Every structure is written in C-alpha cells, then in structure tokens.
Amino acid sequence: MSKQSFLEGLCPVHWLEFFGDVFQSDPVCELNQFLLQEYQRTEVFPEQSNIFQAFQLLDPADLKVVLLGQDPYHNQGQAHGLAFSVLPGQKTPPSLKNMYKELQADIGLSIPKHGFLQAWAKQGILLLNSVLTVRAHEPASHQKKGWEYLTDHLIQNLSREYPHLVFVFWGNFAKKKAKWVDAQKHSLICGVHPSPLSANRGFFGSRPFSKINQALIEHQQEEIDWCLPDLDSSLLKGLYGL
C-alpha cells in the first residue's frame, strides 16, 4: 500500500471513494509538493485543516447540490473551505452580496446579516471551489497547479455515482466543468457569475435558488431552506478556531 499523501491525509475518509485514485496521479502528486512548500514558506488560505472543510461538513449520502466557485478568498479571516462563504465577523464579499440580492428577489427572503454559509452546506450543498487554496493577497495564485485536475476528476465521479444532483456553474470558468456532468441524469444550472463585473449581464433575474429547489422536488428530494439565521455567538465558540 502506498504512503498516504499530504492531501489524501486531509480528506475525510468517507469521501475518499469519490476521489478515486486521483491522489496518486502525477498532477496531484506535483500539487502535493507545491502545497507543502507553500504552507512552509508563505501564508496560504484556508488553513490546512480547512482545505476540505466543504466535505467535512457533509456526509456523501446527504449530497444534493454542487455549487462551484473559483478559488478561495485571499484576505485574512475570510476563507474557511466553503466556496463563496466567509467566517463570522467578516464583511460579506461583493459576489455573495449579489447572491443575497438575487435570493431576496427570487425567494423573498431577507438579506442575511453575515456571509457564513455553513447552514447551506449542512443541508446537502457542496460549496466547492475549483481551486481549494490561494496565497495570501494573490488571487488565482494556486490556479494551474493541479487543483483543477483533482476537481475535474471529482465532478466526473460524482456525476457517475449519483442518480441525481443539481450542478450549479456560474461564469465561464465554472461552465468549463459542465462537460464532466451527465446531463441525462443530473440537473445543470449554468449562468452568469454573481461578481459585480458581470451580475448585471444576466445573474440578476436568473432565479437560481428556486430553480435548484424545483429540480430537487422533481426528483423527490427535499428542497433547500435558503434562510441563513443570525449567528448565535455561543454556538461559535471553538468553531474554526474562533
């Protein structure tokens, strides 16, 4: 049996089967070496223990939706392993603000007071970035280092193994992943990214949240409660080191 790699050791055991043999592939072995050096010599987000946080919060049996982001936020205190989400106490980032605006217009919910999306993850939404790490204050600095190969492989396996998932791909970067999804089995929701640079070109008015729930209902799956309750400080003690 081969020695467990850095990344494989961080991945929750109950998710390993969905990654298959990707951790032994050449691109991911190179990624392993790159990350070991990066975490030693510079500041990288999220913390090592949170790289696979999206999987730690979600049992494979409960997975219903895969919502794909690009790469983690690159400033202190933001990234914690869930795409689009920030830790409590951080300002809501612009893209997430636009998601909230569309959520209000689509579903009628009040705009949340924070950007902590753990409640969505715990309902079966895999908040997955295509690239799971980033160097501090250097956006896209860990792109084309092997992460894309790993997440491509994962999406292919999820598409093959599950009878129905809702895959949500916003923006051209994410839409490239759509080719790995069997559209005969799964629901695909592709559209404009919620970034301030593009949201006015079709994200607003696209109603993705109600579309996700409709797709789940049509496949006899429980819909998502998109409400994000106010955070109770007593529940946050010890959470992500807070």
Side-chain angles (χ1 to χ4, degrees):
M1 182 180 294
S2 60
K3 183 179 178 181
Q4 196 175 55
S5 69
F6 165 65
L7 286 174
E8 189 175 6
L10 293 174
C11 182
V13 173
H14 53 297
W15 276 98
L16 286 174
E17 64 177 290
F18 293 97
F19 286 90
D21 60 357
V22 73
F23 291 111
Q24 284 73 49
S25 65
D26 288 343
V28 179
C29 286
E30 292 175 8
L31 173 64
N32 267 292
Q33 293 306 309
F34 169 75
L35 289 175
L36 285 169
Q37 294 175 1
E38 283 286 275
Y39 274 101
Q40 287 175 358
R41 68 189 181 191
T42 189
E43 190 172 19
V44 176
F45 301 130
E47 295 182 3
Q48 292 183 31
S49 60
N50 287 334
I51 289 176
F52 290 104
Q53 182 66 209
F55 302 91
Q56 293 169 356
L57 292 172
L58 176 59
D59 189 280
D62 298 326
L63 178 62
K64 295 185 288 190
V65 179
V66 179
L67 177 55
L68 189 71
Q70 190 160 329
D71 60 355
Y73 299 118
H74 55 87
N75 291 324
Q76 276 90 356
Q78 292 183 310
H80 62 105
L82 301 184
F84 297 106
S85 179
V86 291
L87 284 168
Q90 294 292 316
K91 292 178 62 176
T92 302
S95 291
L96 184 54
K97 281 185 178 180
N98 287 339
M99 289 167 60
Y100 286 170
K101 289 177 183 178
E102 181 60 19
L103 178 64
Q104 184 179 50
D106 183 4
I107 305 289
L109 295 178
S110 298
I111 291 178
K113 298 177 181 178
H114 59 86
F116 188 56
L117 304 182
Q118 181 174 280
W120 289 359
K122 288 191 170 184
Q123 293 183 72
I125 302 179
L126 183 63
L127 294 163
L128 176 69
N129 278 314
S130 180
V131 174
L132 302 190
T133 56
V134 67
R135 192 178 298 164
H137 316 302
E138 295 185 36
S141 51
H142 285 185
Q143 290 183 11
K144 299 181 180 178
K145 302 295 185 182
W147 275 124
E148 294 90 346
Y149 182 87
L150 183 148
T151 50
D152 282 354
H153 188 88
L154 172 65
I155 289 172
Q156 289 179 73
N157 287 347
L158 294 177
S159 175
R160 183 181 65 250
E161 296 298 329
Y162 281 83
H164 176 261
L165 295 171
V166 183
F167 289 89
V168 184
F169 299 128
W170 288 329
N172 292 332
F173 186 91
K175 288 177 190 175
K176 294 177 182 178
K177 302 282 193 185
K179 64 184 178 183
W180 305 122
V181 175
D182 182 350
Q184 299 300 313
K185 291 171 57 180
H186 304 287
S187 300
L188 274 172
I189 298 176
C190 297
V192 174
H193 195 277
S195 162
L197 297 174
S198 56
N200 286 316
R201 299 201 296 268
F203 178 76
F204 292 132
S206 62
R207 305 195 66 190
F209 304 99
S210 59
K211 287 178 180 177
I212 290 169
N213 277 349
Q214 184 60 39
L216 292 172
I217 291 169
E218 288 173 358
H219 288 83
Q220 294 76 52
Q221 294 170 282
E222 187 175 352
E223 59 187 312
I224 303 297
D225 178 0
W226 295 105
C227 180
L228 288 170
D230 292 344
L231 296 173
D232 183 341
S233 59
S234 66
L235 298 177
L236 296 176
K237 291 181 180 178
L239 179 67
Y240 302 103
L242 297 176

